[in-house]
Amino acid sequence: MTGDVRQALRALRRAPGVAAVAALSLALAIAANASAFSIVSSLLLRPLPVQEPGRLVALFGVREGSPPSILSWPDILDYRSLDVFEGVAAHNGIQVAVGGPGRPEMAWGEIVTDDYFDVVGVRPALGRLFTDREGVGAGGTSAVVLAHDFWRRRFAADPDVLGRTVRLNGRPYTVVGVTPRGFTGTRLFAFAPDVFVPLAAHEAIRPSTAGSLERRDARWLFAVARLRSGATLTEAGEAAGALARALAAEHPDSNRGLGVRVLENRAPINPWVLEPGTTRRMAALLLLAMLLVLLIACANVANLLLARATARRREIAVRVALGAGRGRLVRQLLVESLVLAALGGGLGLLLAAWLVDLSSSFTPTLDFRTAFDLRVDARVVAFTAAATVATGLLFGLLPALRASRPRLVPALRDAVEDGRGAGRLRQGLVVAQVALSLVLLTGAGLFVRSFEKARGLDPGFDPRGALRANVDLEPAGYDEARRREFHRRLLERARELPGVRSAALAFPLPLDAYSSGWEIVVEGRERSPDAEDPLVFGSTVSSGYFETLRTPIVRGRALDERDREDSPPAAVVNETFARRFWPGEEALGRRFSVDGTAGPWIEVVGVARDGKYLTLGEAPRPYLFLPLAQRPISRVSVVARTEGDPDALVPALRAAVAALDPDLPVFGEKTLRQHMETPLSGFESGAATVGFFGVMALLLAATGVYGVVAYGAARRTREMGIRMALGARAADVLRLIVGGGARMAGAGMAIGLAGALLLSRSLTGLLHGVSAADPATYATVAAVVLAAALLASWVPARRATRVNPSLALRSE
C-alpha cells in the first residue's frame, strides 16, 4: 500500500493542473459539509457534558390546544415518587444584580433544587456543589455556585474565590463551588447561566415566587430527570402519563386536562423545540444541501479523472500488456483518488474552521449571555475523515473501472480514441451537476426572497431613531408602591434628556425575546366550566408608548396620564383582538377580564393597528396593551426617540437610572434597529447558509460544464480545422461548441426544476411571504444557471475559434 501511495503522488505531480483543480473542488465541498455538520452537531448530536447524558429526560405539562407548559413544585414532588426515575430535579432562569466595585452588572443564572447537579450528573471544577437542605442560613447568607465562564470573566479564574461573599440583589451569598468548563445548564441552547442559586432562596432571589412552592397551579419550574438504569423512555412516559391522569382526577381545579410528556434531554437544546419538527427539518435541509454540494464536487472530479484517464490510456495499456491485472489497476487508481481526496479533505478542514468562526457572527444578540458552541471538534474531524474517504471512493470508482479496461491496440498506438460511451458519461455527469446546483440555488433563492419579505415587513412600529434599554426592579426587592414611583420618576428623567423627542416604558416590546399572556374572559359571555380561556399575549405600557413607537391608534384613544392607579381599568387592543372577541361590533367601550375569571373588568378605550408581536412570520394575532400605572411590573424597557444618534444616548440614560438607584444595573441597551435583528436572524442565517451552498454548487457546476466543453473542443481540434478550412466562420464554430454546452445545461435544468418543485414542499412553514413554488424565484434561478453554463461554454468555444486551421490540421 505504501508503494501505491508513492506511485499515486508521482502520478499527481505529473498532472499538477488536474490535481490542483480537483483538490480545490473537493476542499470547497468538504469545507461546506464540515462547517454545516458542526452546526448540526452542536445543536442535535453533541451530548451535554454530563455523566451518561443518554439517561437524562425532561418533563413537560401538555394540554390539548395549548403550548407545552412547565410544572409546579407539588407536581414535581409527585413525579419524584415514580420508580422509573433515579431522581427528578427542578430549575428555572433568574436575573440577579451583581454588586461590587464599579457599575452594577446584571447576571443571568438558574435557580435549582439541591439535587440538580446530582441528577444531571455534574461534578465541580472547584469546591463543591449544593448539598441537602442548602439554603438561607444564619445571617441570611446563602450558597452560590459560579459558572466556569463567569468565574473566569468576573473573578479572573481566582482559585481563592471559594468562601468569598458575593452580593446578589443586595444580599450576601457565599461562593461554594465552580461548575466544570462547558456546562451551560439544561434549560435551552444558547442560554449560558452565570450563577446557580438553591431553590430554598427563591423568595429572596425572586420575590414574585413567594408562596409558589405550595401552589399546584403555580407552574414556573422546568423538570429534568435521570432514568433508572435499564428504564426506557417509553416506560417513563407511560408511568408519568398514568400519574398525570391520577393527579388530574385528584386535583381538578389545577390539573384538569393536564398531561405530561417525557422527552430526551441529552443535547444542549430544549427538547420541546425538537418536537414540532422545525429544528429537525432545518437540520435535514442543511444535511441535504451538504450532500448535494458533495455530489456535485464528486461529479466534477470524476469528469476530470475520466479526462485524465483518457490521456493516460497508453500508460495503462502498457501495464495491461505487461501482465497487470484489472484488480491491481483499479486499486492503484483508487489509491490515487483517495490521495487526491485526502489533499482536498485536509484543505477543506482548514477552510471549515474559518467558516465556523464566520457563522458565529450570525448568532442573534440577546439580553443574556449566549453560548453557541460552534467548533471543529473530534466529531467534526471524524465526519470529515469519513466524508473524505467516501468522496474518494465515490468519484474515483467509475473512472478507475473504465480506465482499467483499455482497448490495447489503439491505446498502444496512442491513437485518438474517445468513444461515445465515455463522452456520454462525462456529459451525463455534467447534466447531474447542473440539476443538483439548480435544486440548491432554488432553495437559496426562496430563502433570500423570504428574508427580503421579512425585512420589508411593517412590524407595527418605527424602529428608526430610537433606543431601548432594560431595567429590572425585582432583584432590588421593590414593592408595588416603590415600583410605581420609580417608573414615574424614570419616565420624567428620560423625557428630559437632551435630544429626546419622546419616551415611554413598556414590557415586553414587540418582537422581544420575552412574552406575557393572559386568559381572556369577555363580559356577558357564558363560559363552560371545562372550557379553557383563550390565551392572548400583550404588553404593559406607560403613557406616550404609541407616540414613541409610532404605532397608530385607528379608533378611540391611546393610553395616557388619565389611566392612573385610581382610574377605571383601561386597555388598548389591536384590530385582530377587536374582530375576534366582538366580530361585526364596535369594540370601544366593551369590557373583558385578564384573570381568567368574571372581573375585574377592563374597558377598551382604543384600538391600535395590527403589528408583529412574537415573530415576523406570524399570522395576525390578538394583542392587548395595559397601563403600567395600573399594573406596575418589575421589569421595563425604556424606549427613547431621539433627534440624533440613538447610541449616543446610552451614557445619559445610565446616569439617569443611577441617579434614582445606583445599585440598579441597566442592560440590553440597543437601538430599535438592532432590536429587529433578533427576529430577522433566523431568516438571515437561512438565506446566508443555503445561499452559500447554492453559489458554491453553481461554481462547481459551471466548472464542470467548462471542463467537458473544453475537453471536447480540444479533442475536436482537427474537426474544427477542417470546418474552418472549408469556409466555416468563427460564429459557426462558436455556435456549435456553445450549443453543446447549452444542451447539457438545458437537460440538467429540466431535471433540476422537477426536483426543486418536489423538494420545495419541505420548505413550507420555513418561508415567509413567498410560496415554495414562487415563479419569480424559479425563473431567476433558471436564468442564472443558464447564463453560467453559457459563459462556461463560451470561454473554450472562443478559444477554439482562434485556432489556425493549417496548424490544427498539421498537429493532427
Side-chain angles (χ1 to χ4, degrees), residues 649-664:
L649 191 63
V650 172
L653 190 57
R654 285 178 178 168
V657 173
L660 297 176
D661 189 336
D663 294 327
L664 279 181

Side-chain angles (χ1 to χ4, degrees), residues 621-646:
R621 67 166 63 246
Y623 204 81
L624 64 94
F625 302 89
L626 299 175
L628 180 63
Q630 296 178 353
R631 289 177 174 264
I633 57 178
S634 294
R635 175 171 175 166
V636 292
S637 294
V638 186
V639 184
R641 187 166 295 279
T642 71
E643 297 174 349
D645 179 13

Side-chain angles (χ1 to χ4, degrees), residues 17 66 145 153 160 219 236 289 308 454 457 494 528 545 615 683 720:
S66 299
V145 171
R153 176 168 54 88
D160 295 328
R219 299 184 180 93
R308 172 69 178 150
L457 274 177
S528 168
Y545 170 83
T615 67
F683 296 102
M720 297 305 156

